[in-house]
Coordinates of all heavy atoms in Angstrom, one line a residue:
M1322 N 5.1 -19.0 3.4 CA 4.1 -18.1 4.0 C 4.0 -16.8 3.2 O 4.9 -16.2 2.8 CB 4.5 -17.8 5.5 CG 3.4 -17.0 6.2 SD 3.9 -16.9 7.9 CE 2.6 -15.8 8.4
K1323 N 2.7 -16.5 2.9 CA 2.5 -15.3 2.1 C 2.7 -14.0 2.9 O 2.3 -14.0 4.1 CB 1.0 -15.3 1.6 CG 0.8 -16.3 0.6 CD -0.7 -16.2 0.0 CE -0.9 -17.2 -1.1 NZ -2.3 -17.0 -1.6
D1324 N 3.2 -13.0 2.2 CA 3.2 -11.7 2.9 C 1.8 -11.1 3.0 O 1.0 -11.3 2.2 CB 4.1 -10.7 2.1 CG 5.6 -11.0 2.2 OD1 6.0 -11.7 3.2 OD2 6.3 -10.6 1.3
I1325 N 1.6 -10.3 4.1 CA 0.4 -9.6 4.2 C 0.6 -8.1 3.8 O 1.5 -7.5 4.4 CB -0.1 -9.6 5.7 CG1 -0.4 -11.1 6.1 CG2 -1.4 -8.8 5.9 CD1 -0.6 -11.3 7.6
I1326 N -0.1 -7.7 2.8 CA 0.1 -6.4 2.2 C -1.2 -5.6 2.1 O -2.2 -6.1 1.6 CB 0.7 -6.5 0.8 CG1 2.0 -7.4 0.9 CG2 0.9 -5.2 0.2 CD1 2.6 -7.7 -0.5
N1327 N -1.2 -4.4 2.6 CA -2.3 -3.5 2.5 C -1.8 -2.2 1.8 O -0.8 -1.6 2.2 CB -2.8 -3.1 3.9 CG -3.5 -4.2 4.6 OD1 -3.9 -5.2 4.0 ND2 -3.6 -4.1 5.9
L1328 N -2.6 -1.8 0.8 CA -2.4 -0.6 0.1 C -3.4 0.5 0.6 O -4.6 0.2 0.5 CB -2.5 -0.7 -1.4 CG -2.4 0.5 -2.2 CD1 -1.1 1.3 -2.0 CD2 -2.7 0.2 -3.7
Y1329 N -2.9 1.6 1.2 CA -3.8 2.6 1.7 C -3.8 3.7 0.6 O -2.7 4.3 0.3 CB -3.3 3.2 3.0 CG -3.4 2.1 4.1 CD1 -2.3 1.3 4.4 CD2 -4.5 2.0 4.9 CE1 -2.4 0.3 5.3 CE2 -4.6 1.1 5.9 CZ -3.5 0.2 6.1 OH -3.6 -0.7 7.1
V1330 N -5.0 4.0 0.1 CA -5.1 5.1 -0.9 C -6.2 6.0 -0.4 O -7.1 5.7 0.4 CB -5.5 4.5 -2.3 CG1 -4.4 3.6 -2.8 CG2 -6.8 3.7 -2.2
L1331 N -6.2 7.2 -1.0 CA -7.3 8.2 -0.6 C -8.6 7.9 -1.4 O -8.6 7.5 -2.5 CB -6.8 9.6 -1.0 CG -5.6 10.2 -0.2 CD1 -5.2 11.5 -0.8 CD2 -6.0 10.3 1.2
K1332 N -9.7 8.0 -0.6 CA -11.0 7.6 -1.2 C -11.6 8.8 -2.0 O -11.6 9.9 -1.5 CB -11.9 7.2 -0.1 CG -13.3 6.8 -0.5 CD -14.1 6.3 0.7 CE -15.4 5.7 0.2 NZ -16.2 5.2 1.3
N1333 N -12.0 8.5 -3.2 CA -12.8 9.5 -4.0 C -12.1 10.8 -4.2 O -12.7 11.9 -4.2 CB -14.1 9.7 -3.4 CG -15.0 8.5 -3.3 OD1 -14.9 7.6 -4.1 ND2 -15.8 8.4 -2.3
T1334 N -10.7 10.8 -4.4 CA -10.0 12.1 -4.6 C -9.5 12.2 -6.0 O -9.1 13.3 -6.4 CB -8.9 12.3 -3.6 OG1 -7.9 11.2 -3.8 CG2 -9.4 12.2 -2.2
G1335 N -9.3 11.1 -6.7 CA -8.7 11.1 -8.0 C -7.2 11.3 -7.9 O -6.5 11.8 -8.8
C1336 N -6.6 10.9 -6.8 CA -5.2 11.1 -6.5 C -4.4 10.3 -7.6 O -4.5 9.1 -7.6 CB -4.9 10.6 -5.1 SG -3.1 10.4 -4.7
P1337 N -3.6 11.0 -8.4 CA -2.8 10.3 -9.4 C -1.8 9.3 -8.9 O -1.6 8.2 -9.4 CB -2.2 11.4 -10.2 CG -2.3 12.6 -9.4 CD -3.4 12.4 -8.4
K1338 N -1.1 9.7 -7.7 CA -0.1 8.8 -7.2 C -0.8 7.5 -6.6 O -0.3 6.4 -6.8 CB 0.6 9.5 -6.0 CG 1.5 10.6 -6.5 CD 2.5 11.1 -5.5 CE 1.9 11.5 -4.2 NZ 2.9 12.0 -3.2
C1339 N -2.0 7.7 -6.1 CA -2.7 6.5 -5.6 C -3.1 5.6 -6.7 O -3.0 4.4 -6.6 CB -4.0 6.9 -4.9 SG -3.7 7.8 -3.3
K1340 N -3.5 6.1 -7.8 CA -3.9 5.3 -9.0 C -2.6 4.6 -9.5 O -2.7 3.4 -9.9 CB -4.5 6.2 -10.1 CG -4.9 5.3 -11.3 CD -5.5 6.1 -12.4 CE -5.9 5.4 -13.6 NZ -5.6 4.0 -13.8
I1341 N -1.5 5.3 -9.6 CA -0.3 4.7 -10.2 C 0.2 3.5 -9.3 O 0.4 2.4 -9.8 CB 0.9 5.7 -10.2 CG1 0.6 6.7 -11.4 CG2 2.2 5.0 -10.5 CD1 1.5 7.9 -11.4
L1342 N 0.2 3.7 -8.0 CA 0.6 2.6 -7.1 C -0.4 1.5 -7.1 O 0.0 0.3 -7.1 CB 0.9 3.1 -5.7 CG 1.6 2.1 -4.7 CD1 2.8 1.4 -5.3 CD2 1.9 2.7 -3.4
K1343 N -1.7 1.8 -7.1 CA -2.7 0.8 -7.1 C -2.6 -0.1 -8.4 O -2.6 -1.3 -8.3 CB -4.1 1.4 -7.1 CG -5.2 0.5 -7.1 CD -6.5 1.3 -7.0 CE -7.8 0.4 -7.1 NZ -9.0 1.1 -7.0
D1344 N -2.4 0.6 -9.6 CA -2.2 -0.2 -10.8 C -1.0 -1.1 -10.8 O -1.0 -2.2 -11.3 CB -2.2 0.8 -12.0 CG -3.5 1.4 -12.3 OD1 -4.6 1.0 -11.8 OD2 -3.5 2.4 -13.1
R1345 N 0.1 -0.5 -10.2 CA 1.3 -1.3 -10.1 C 1.2 -2.5 -9.2 O 1.6 -3.6 -9.6 CB 2.5 -0.4 -9.6 CG 3.8 -1.1 -9.5 CD 4.3 -1.5 -10.9 NE 5.5 -2.2 -10.8 CZ 5.7 -3.5 -10.8 NH1 4.6 -4.3 -10.9 NH2 6.9 -4.0 -10.8
C1346 N 0.4 -2.3 -8.1 CA 0.2 -3.5 -7.2 C -0.7 -4.5 -7.9 O -0.4 -5.7 -7.8 CB -0.5 -3.0 -6.0 SG 0.6 -2.1 -4.8
L1347 N -1.7 -4.1 -8.6 CA -2.6 -5.0 -9.3 C -1.9 -5.8 -10.4 O -2.3 -6.9 -10.7 CB -3.9 -4.3 -9.8 CG -4.8 -3.7 -8.7 CD1 -5.9 -2.9 -9.3 CD2 -5.4 -4.9 -7.8
G1348 N -0.9 -5.2 -11.0 CA -0.1 -5.9 -12.0 C 1.1 -6.7 -11.6 O 1.8 -7.2 -12.4
S1349 N 1.3 -6.7 -10.3 CA 2.5 -7.3 -9.7 C 2.3 -8.8 -9.4 O 1.4 -9.2 -8.8 CB 2.9 -6.6 -8.4 OG 3.8 -7.4 -7.7
K1350 N 3.2 -9.6 -9.9 CA 3.2 -11.1 -9.6 C 3.5 -11.3 -8.1 O 2.9 -12.2 -7.5 CB 4.2 -11.8 -10.4 CG 3.8 -11.9 -11.9 CD 4.9 -12.6 -12.7 CE 4.5 -12.6 -14.1 NZ 5.5 -13.3 -15.0
Y1351 N 4.3 -10.5 -7.5 CA 4.6 -10.6 -6.1 C 3.4 -10.3 -5.3 O 3.0 -11.1 -4.3 CB 5.8 -9.6 -5.7 CG 5.8 -9.3 -4.2 CD1 6.1 -10.3 -3.3 CD2 5.7 -8.0 -3.8 CE1 6.1 -10.0 -1.9 CE2 5.8 -7.7 -2.4 CZ 6.0 -8.7 -1.5 OH 6.0 -8.4 -0.2
I1352 N 2.7 -9.2 -5.6 CA 1.5 -8.8 -4.8 C 0.4 -9.9 -5.1 O -0.3 -10.2 -4.1 CB 1.0 -7.4 -5.3 CG1 2.0 -6.4 -5.0 CG2 -0.4 -7.1 -4.6 CD1 2.2 -5.9 -3.6
N1353 N 0.2 -10.4 -6.3 CA -0.8 -11.4 -6.6 C -0.5 -12.7 -5.8 O -1.5 -13.5 -5.7 CB -0.9 -11.6 -8.1 CG -1.5 -10.5 -8.8 OD1 -2.4 -9.8 -8.2 ND2 -1.1 -10.3 -10.0
N1354 N 0.7 -12.9 -5.3 CA 1.0 -14.1 -4.6 C 1.0 -13.8 -3.1 O 1.7 -14.5 -2.3 CB 2.3 -14.7 -5.0 CG 2.2 -15.4 -6.4 OD1 1.5 -16.5 -6.4 ND2 2.7 -14.9 -7.4
S1355 N 0.4 -12.8 -2.7 CA 0.4 -12.4 -1.2 C -1.1 -12.3 -0.8 O -2.0 -12.4 -1.6 CB 1.1 -11.0 -1.1 OG 0.3 -10.0 -1.7
D1356 N -1.3 -12.0 0.5 CA -2.6 -11.7 1.0 C -2.7 -10.1 0.9 O -2.2 -9.4 1.7 CB -2.6 -12.1 2.5 CG -4.0 -11.9 3.1 OD1 -4.9 -11.4 2.4 OD2 -4.1 -12.1 4.3
F1357 N -3.4 -9.7 -0.1 CA -3.4 -8.3 -0.5 C -4.8 -7.6 -0.4 O -5.8 -8.2 -0.7 CB -3.0 -8.1 -2.0 CG -3.0 -6.7 -2.5 CD1 -2.2 -5.7 -2.0 CD2 -3.8 -6.4 -3.6 CE1 -2.2 -4.4 -2.5 CE2 -3.8 -5.1 -4.1 CZ -3.0 -4.1 -3.5
E1358 N -4.8 -6.4 0.2 CA -6.1 -5.7 0.3 C -5.8 -4.2 0.0 O -4.8 -3.6 0.4 CB -6.6 -5.8 1.8 CG -7.9 -5.1 2.0 CD -8.5 -5.4 3.4 OE1 -7.9 -6.1 4.2 OE2 -9.5 -4.8 3.7
I1359 N -6.8 -3.6 -0.7 CA -6.7 -2.1 -0.9 C -7.7 -1.5 0.1 O -8.9 -1.9 0.2 CB -7.1 -1.8 -2.4 CG1 -6.2 -2.4 -3.3 CG2 -7.2 -0.3 -2.6 CD1 -6.6 -2.4 -4.8
I1360 N -7.2 -0.5 0.8 CA -8.0 0.2 1.8 C -8.1 1.6 1.4 O -7.1 2.3 1.3 CB -7.3 0.0 3.2 CG1 -7.3 -1.5 3.6 CG2 -8.1 0.8 4.3 CD1 -6.5 -1.8 4.8
E1361 N -9.3 2.1 1.2 CA -9.5 3.5 0.9 C -9.8 4.3 2.1 O -10.6 3.9 3.0 CB -10.7 3.6 -0.1 CG -10.5 2.9 -1.4 CD -11.6 3.1 -2.4 OE1 -12.8 3.4 -1.9 OE2 -11.4 3.0 -3.6
I1362 N -9.0 5.4 2.3 CA -9.1 6.2 3.5 C -9.9 7.5 3.1 O -9.6 8.2 2.2 CB -7.7 6.6 3.9 CG1 -6.8 5.4 4.2 CG2 -7.7 7.6 5.1 CD1 -7.3 4.6 5.4
D1363 N -10.9 7.7 4.0 CA -11.7 8.9 3.9 C -11.1 9.9 5.0 O -11.4 9.6 6.2 CB -13.2 8.6 4.1 CG -14.0 9.9 4.1 OD1 -13.5 11.0 4.0 OD2 -15.3 9.7 4.2
I1364 N -10.4 10.9 4.6 CA -9.7 11.7 5.6 C -10.7 12.5 6.4 O -10.3 13.1 7.4 CB -8.6 12.6 5.0 CG1 -9.2 13.5 3.9 CG2 -7.5 11.7 4.4 CD1 -8.2 14.5 3.4
S1365 N -12.0 12.6 6.0 CA -12.9 13.4 6.8 C -13.5 12.5 7.9 O -14.2 13.0 8.8 CB -14.1 13.8 5.9 OG -14.8 12.8 5.4
N1366 N -13.3 11.2 7.9 CA -13.7 10.3 8.9 C -12.6 10.0 9.9 O -11.9 9.0 9.8 CB -14.3 9.0 8.3 CG -14.9 8.1 9.3 OD1 -14.9 8.4 10.5 ND2 -15.4 7.0 8.9
R1367 N -12.4 10.9 10.9 CA -11.3 10.8 11.8 C -11.5 9.6 12.8 O -10.6 9.2 13.5 CB -11.2 12.0 12.7 CG -11.2 13.3 11.9 CD -9.8 13.6 11.4 NE -9.8 14.9 10.7 CZ -8.9 15.2 9.8 NH1 -8.0 14.3 9.4 NH2 -8.9 16.4 9.3
N1368 N -12.7 9.0 12.8 CA -12.9 7.8 13.7 C -12.6 6.5 13.0 O -12.7 5.5 13.7 CB -14.4 7.8 14.2 CG -14.7 9.0 15.0 OD1 -13.8 9.5 15.8 ND2 -15.8 9.7 14.8
D1369 N -12.3 6.5 11.8 CA -12.0 5.2 11.0 C -10.7 4.6 11.6 O -9.7 5.3 11.7 CB -11.8 5.6 9.5 CG -11.5 4.4 8.7 OD1 -10.9 3.4 9.2 OD2 -11.9 4.4 7.5
S1370 N -10.8 3.3 11.9 CA -9.6 2.7 12.5 C -8.4 2.7 11.6 O -7.3 2.7 12.1 CB -10.0 1.3 13.0 OG -10.4 0.5 11.8
N1371 N -8.7 2.6 10.3 CA -7.5 2.6 9.4 C -6.9 4.0 9.3 O -5.7 4.1 9.3 CB -8.0 2.2 8.0 CG -8.3 0.7 7.9 OD1 -7.5 -0.1 8.2 ND2 -9.5 0.4 7.5
Y1372 N -7.7 5.0 9.4 CA -7.2 6.4 9.4 C -6.4 6.6 10.7 O -5.3 7.1 10.7 CB -8.4 7.4 9.4 CG -7.9 8.8 9.6 CD1 -7.5 9.5 8.5 CD2 -7.9 9.4 10.8 CE1 -7.0 10.8 8.6 CE2 -7.5 10.7 11.0 CZ -7.1 11.4 9.9 OH -6.6 12.7 10.0
Q1373 N -6.9 6.1 11.8 CA -6.2 6.2 13.1 C -4.9 5.4 13.1 O -3.9 5.9 13.6 CB -7.1 5.6 14.2 CG -8.3 6.5 14.6 CD -7.8 7.9 15.0 OE1 -6.9 8.0 15.8 NE2 -8.5 8.9 14.5
L1374 N -4.8 4.3 12.4 CA -3.6 3.5 12.3 C -2.5 4.4 11.6 O -1.3 4.4 12.0 CB -3.8 2.2 11.5 CG -2.5 1.4 11.2 CD1 -1.9 0.8 12.5 CD2 -2.9 0.3 10.2
L1375 N -2.9 5.1 10.5 CA -2.0 5.9 9.8 C -1.5 7.1 10.6 O -0.3 7.4 10.7 CB -2.6 6.4 8.5 CG -3.0 5.3 7.5 CD1 -3.7 6.0 6.3 CD2 -1.8 4.5 7.1
V1376 N -2.4 7.7 11.4 CA -2.1 8.8 12.3 C -1.1 8.4 13.3 O -0.1 9.0 13.6 CB -3.3 9.4 12.9 CG1 -3.0 10.4 14.0 CG2 -4.2 10.1 11.8
E1377 N -1.4 7.2 13.9 CA -0.5 6.7 15.0 C 0.9 6.4 14.5 O 1.9 6.5 15.3 CB -1.1 5.4 15.6 CG -2.4 5.7 16.4 CD -3.1 4.4 16.7 OE1 -2.6 3.3 16.5 OE2 -4.2 4.5 17.2
N1378 N 1.0 6.1 13.2 CA 2.3 5.8 12.6 C 2.9 7.0 11.9 O 3.9 6.8 11.2 CB 2.2 4.6 11.7 CG 2.1 3.3 12.5 OD1 3.1 2.7 12.9 ND2 0.9 2.8 12.7
K1379 N 2.3 8.1 12.1 CA 2.8 9.4 11.6 C 2.9 9.4 10.1 O 3.8 10.0 9.5 CB 4.2 9.8 12.2 CG 4.1 9.9 13.7 CD 5.4 10.2 14.4 CE 5.4 10.5 15.9 NZ 4.4 9.9 16.7
I1380 N 2.0 8.7 9.4 CA 1.9 8.7 8.0 C 1.2 9.9 7.5 O 0.0 10.2 7.9 CB 1.2 7.4 7.5 CG1 1.8 6.1 8.0 CG2 1.1 7.4 5.9 CD1 3.3 5.9 7.6
Q1381 N 1.8 10.7 6.7 CA 1.3 12.0 6.2 C 1.1 12.0 4.7 O 0.3 12.9 4.2 CB 2.1 13.2 6.7 CG 2.2 13.3 8.2 CD 3.1 14.4 8.6 OE1 3.8 15.0 7.8 NE2 3.0 14.8 9.9
D1382 N 1.8 11.2 4.0 CA 1.7 11.2 2.5 C 1.0 9.9 2.1 O 1.3 8.9 2.6 CB 3.1 11.3 1.9 CG 3.7 12.7 2.2 OD1 3.0 13.7 2.2 OD2 4.9 12.7 2.4
M1383 N 0.2 10.1 1.1 CA -0.5 8.9 0.5 C -0.1 8.8 -1.0 O 0.2 9.8 -1.6 CB -2.0 9.1 0.6 CG -2.5 9.2 2.0 SD -2.4 7.6 2.9 CE -3.9 6.9 2.4
P1384 N -0.1 7.6 -1.5 CA -0.4 6.3 -0.9 C 0.7 5.8 -0.1 O 1.8 6.3 -0.2 CB -0.7 5.5 -2.2 CG 0.3 6.0 -3.2 CD 0.3 7.5 -2.9
V1385 N 0.4 4.8 0.6 CA 1.4 4.1 1.5 C 1.1 2.6 1.4 O -0.1 2.2 1.4 CB 1.4 4.6 2.9 CG1 0.1 4.3 3.6 CG2 2.6 4.1 3.7
L1386 N 2.1 1.8 1.4 CA 2.0 0.3 1.3 C 2.5 -0.2 2.7 O 3.6 0.1 3.1 CB 2.9 -0.2 0.2 CG 2.6 -1.6 -0.3 CD1 1.2 -1.8 -0.9 CD2 3.7 -2.1 -1.3
L1387 N 1.7 -1.1 3.2 CA 2.1 -1.8 4.5 C 2.4 -3.3 4.1 O 1.5 -4.0 3.7 CB 0.9 -1.7 5.5 CG 1.1 -2.4 6.8 CD1 2.3 -1.8 7.6 CD2 -0.2 -2.4 7.6
I1388 N 3.6 -3.7 4.4 CA 4.0 -5.0 4.1 C 4.5 -5.6 5.5 O 5.5 -5.2 6.0 CB 5.1 -5.1 3.1 CG1 4.7 -4.5 1.8 CG2 5.6 -6.6 2.9 CD1 5.9 -4.4 0.7
N1389 N 3.7 -6.6 5.9 CA 4.1 -7.3 7.2 C 4.5 -6.3 8.3 O 5.6 -6.4 8.9 CB 5.3 -8.3 6.9 CG 4.9 -9.4 5.9 OD1 3.7 -9.7 5.9 ND2 5.9 -9.8 5.2
N1390 N 3.7 -5.4 8.6 CA 3.8 -4.4 9.7 C 4.9 -3.3 9.4 O 5.2 -2.6 10.4 CB 4.1 -5.1 11.0 CG 3.0 -6.1 11.4 OD1 1.9 -5.7 11.3 ND2 3.4 -7.3 11.8
T1391 N 5.3 -3.1 8.2 CA 6.2 -2.1 7.9 C 5.6 -1.2 6.8 O 5.2 -1.7 5.8 CB 7.6 -2.6 7.4 OG1 8.2 -3.4 8.4 CG2 8.6 -1.4 7.1
F1392 N 5.6 0.1 7.0 CA 5.0 1.1 6.1 C 6.1 1.5 5.1 O 7.2 1.7 5.5 CB 4.5 2.3 6.8 CG 3.2 2.0 7.5 CD1 3.1 1.8 8.8 CD2 2.0 2.1 6.8 CE1 1.9 1.6 9.5 CE2 0.8 1.8 7.4 CZ 0.7 1.6 8.8
Y1393 N 5.7 1.7 3.8 CA 6.6 2.1 2.8 C 5.9 3.3 2.0 O 4.8 3.1 1.6 CB 6.9 1.0 1.8 CG 7.7 -0.1 2.5 CD1 7.0 -1.2 3.0 CD2 9.1 -0.1 2.6 CE1 7.7 -2.3 3.6 CE2 9.8 -1.1 3.3 CZ 9.1 -2.2 3.7 OH 9.8 -3.2 4.4
S1394 N 6.7 4.3 1.7 CA 6.2 5.4 0.9 C 6.0 4.9 -0.6 O 6.5 3.8 -0.9 CB 7.3 6.5 0.9 OG 8.4 6.1 0.2
M1395 N 5.5 5.7 -1.4 CA 5.2 5.3 -2.8 C 6.5 4.9 -3.5 O 6.6 3.9 -4.1 CB 4.5 6.4 -3.6 CG 4.2 6.0 -5.0 SD 3.4 7.3 -5.9 CE 3.4 6.6 -7.5
V1396 N 7.5 5.7 -3.4 CA 8.8 5.5 -4.0 C 9.4 4.2 -3.5 O 9.8 3.3 -4.3 CB 9.8 6.7 -3.8 CG1 11.2 6.3 -4.3 CG2 9.2 7.9 -4.5
D1397 N 9.5 4.0 -2.2 CA 10.0 2.8 -1.7 C 9.2 1.6 -2.1 O 9.8 0.5 -2.4 CB 10.1 2.9 -0.2 CG 11.2 3.9 0.3 OD1 12.1 4.2 -0.5 OD2 11.0 4.3 1.5
A1398 N 7.9 1.7 -2.1 CA 7.0 0.6 -2.4 C 7.3 0.2 -3.9 O 7.3 -1.0 -4.2 CB 5.5 1.0 -2.2
M1399 N 7.4 1.1 -4.8 CA 7.6 0.8 -6.2 C 8.9 0.0 -6.3 O 9.0 -0.9 -7.1 CB 7.7 2.1 -7.0 CG 6.4 2.8 -7.1 SD 5.1 2.0 -8.0 CE 5.5 2.6 -9.7
H1400 N 10.0 0.4 -5.6 CA 11.3 -0.3 -5.7 C 11.1 -1.7 -5.1 O 11.7 -2.7 -5.7 CB 12.4 0.4 -4.9 CG 12.8 1.7 -5.6 ND1 13.5 1.7 -6.8 CD2 12.7 3.0 -5.2 CE1 13.7 3.0 -7.1 NE2 13.3 3.7 -6.2
I1401 N 10.4 -1.9 -4.0 CA 10.2 -3.2 -3.4 C 9.5 -4.1 -4.4 O 9.9 -5.3 -4.6 CB 9.5 -3.1 -2.1 CG1 10.5 -2.5 -1.0 CG2 9.0 -4.4 -1.6 CD1 9.8 -2.1 0.2
I1402 N 8.4 -3.6 -4.9 CA 7.6 -4.4 -5.8 C 8.4 -4.8 -7.1 O 8.4 -6.0 -7.5 CB 6.3 -3.6 -6.3 CG1 5.4 -3.4 -5.1 CG2 5.6 -4.4 -7.4 CD1 4.3 -2.4 -5.4
E1403 N 9.2 -3.9 -7.6 CA 10.0 -4.2 -8.8 C 11.0 -5.3 -8.5 O 11.2 -6.2 -9.2 CB 10.8 -2.9 -9.2 CG 11.7 -3.1 -10.4 CD 12.4 -1.9 -10.9 OE1 11.9 -0.8 -10.6 OE2 13.4 -2.0 -11.5
N1404 N 11.7 -5.1 -7.3 CA 12.7 -6.1 -6.9 C 12.1 -7.5 -6.6 O 12.7 -8.5 -7.0 CB 13.5 -5.6 -5.7 CG 14.5 -4.5 -6.1 OD1 14.9 -4.4 -7.2 ND2 14.7 -3.6 -5.1
R1405 N 11.0 -7.5 -6.0 CA 10.4 -8.8 -5.6 C 9.7 -9.5 -6.8 O 9.6 -10.7 -6.9 CB 9.4 -8.6 -4.4 CG 10.2 -8.3 -3.2 CD 9.4 -8.3 -2.0 NE 10.3 -7.9 -0.8 CZ 9.8 -7.7 0.4 NH1 8.5 -7.9 0.7 NH2 10.6 -7.3 1.3
D1406 N 9.2 -8.7 -7.8 CA 8.7 -9.2 -9.0 C 9.8 -10.0 -9.8 O 9.5 -11.0 -10.5 CB 8.1 -8.1 -9.9 CG 6.6 -7.8 -9.6 OD1 6.0 -8.6 -8.8 OD2 6.1 -6.9 -10.1
K1407 N 11.0 -9.6 -9.7 CA 12.1 -10.2 -10.4 C 12.3 -11.7 -9.9 O 12.7 -12.5 -10.7 CB 13.4 -9.4 -10.2 CG 13.4 -8.1 -10.9 CD 14.7 -7.4 -10.7 CE 14.7 -6.0 -11.4 NZ 15.9 -5.3 -11.1
L1408 N 11.9 -11.9 -8.7 CA 11.9 -13.3 -8.2 C 11.0 -14.2 -8.9 O 11.1 -15.4 -8.9 CB 11.7 -13.3 -6.7 CG 12.7 -12.5 -5.8 CD1 12.2 -12.5 -4.3 CD2 14.1 -13.1 -5.9
Y1409 N 9.9 -13.7 -9.4 CA 8.9 -14.4 -10.1 C 9.1 -14.6 -11.6 O 8.3 -15.2 -12.3 CB 7.5 -13.8 -9.8 CG 7.0 -14.0 -8.4 CD1 7.3 -13.0 -7.5 CD2 6.3 -15.2 -8.0 CE1 6.9 -13.2 -6.1 CE2 6.0 -15.3 -6.7 CZ 6.3 -14.3 -5.8 OH 5.9 -14.5 -4.5
E1410 N 10.2 -14.0 -12.1 CA 10.5 -14.0 -13.6 C 11.1 -15.3 -13.9 O 11.1 -15.7 -15.1 CB 11.4 -12.9 -14.0 CG 10.7 -11.5 -13.9 CD 11.6 -10.4 -14.3 OE1 12.8 -10.6 -14.5 OE2 11.1 -9.2 -14.3
C1411 N 11.7 -16.1 -13.0 CA 12.4 -17.3 -13.3 C 11.4 -18.4 -13.7 O 10.3 -18.6 -13.4 CB 13.2 -17.7 -12.1 SG 14.4 -16.5 -11.6

């Protein structure tokens, strides 16, 4: 069964951390073998259901990766992607 992965990034901000994690996800064999979606968050739209999901889960820093209902910070996400990509090297 494929993992369900959502990457939440800031919309139209030029956020360098968002770009780094987005590029890492797009180049990942693990991510490419999952159900993956990039979700751009417009922080000025407080009614957006994706924005509300982040608020409800007390997410304050972006970007954030959601893997099968668990949120990961950028640093944790990078480690997870690196470790899971190793499984695809064989």
Side-chain angles (χ1 to χ4, degrees):
M1322 184 173 176
K1323 291 183 176 184
D1324 287 337
I1325 299 171
I1326 303 174
N1327 291 338
L1328 172 62
Y1329 295 88
V1330 297
L1331 294 172
K1332 183 176 184 177
N1333 299 327
T1334 64
C1336 170
K1338 293 192 309 183
C1339 293
K1340 181 177 177 3
I1341 289 168
L1342 187 53
K1343 181 178 177 180
D1344 290 346
R1345 181 65 182 97
C1346 287
L1347 292 173
S1349 165
K1350 290 179 182 177
Y1351 161 60
I1352 300 286
N1353 288 327
N1354 284 291
S1355 68
D1356 181 6
F1357 178 62
E1358 183 177 355
I1359 298 171
I1360 300 169
E1361 295 184 340
I1362 300 296
D1363 179 356
I1364 59 173
S1365 67
N1366 183 359
R1367 309 279 187 205
N1368 296 320
D1369 180 330
S1370 61
N1371 288 306
Y1372 176 83
Q1373 289 300 318
L1374 176 68
L1375 297 177
V1376 169
E1377 290 168 9
N1378 284 278
K1379 298 177 179 27
I1380 304 299
Q1381 297 179 349
D1382 294 322
M1383 298 290 277
V1385 65
L1386 195 66
L1387 177 63
I1388 303 174
N1389 299 329
N1390 300 316
T1391 302
F1392 286 98
Y1393 296 95
S1394 69
M1395 179 181 177
V1396 171
D1397 291 338
M1399 295 290 276
H1400 289 294
I1401 289 168
I1402 293 167
E1403 180 181 338
N1404 288 332
R1405 294 191 182 171
D1406 273 351
K1407 289 178 182 177
L1408 298 173
Y1409 290 91
E1410 290 178 358
C1411 300

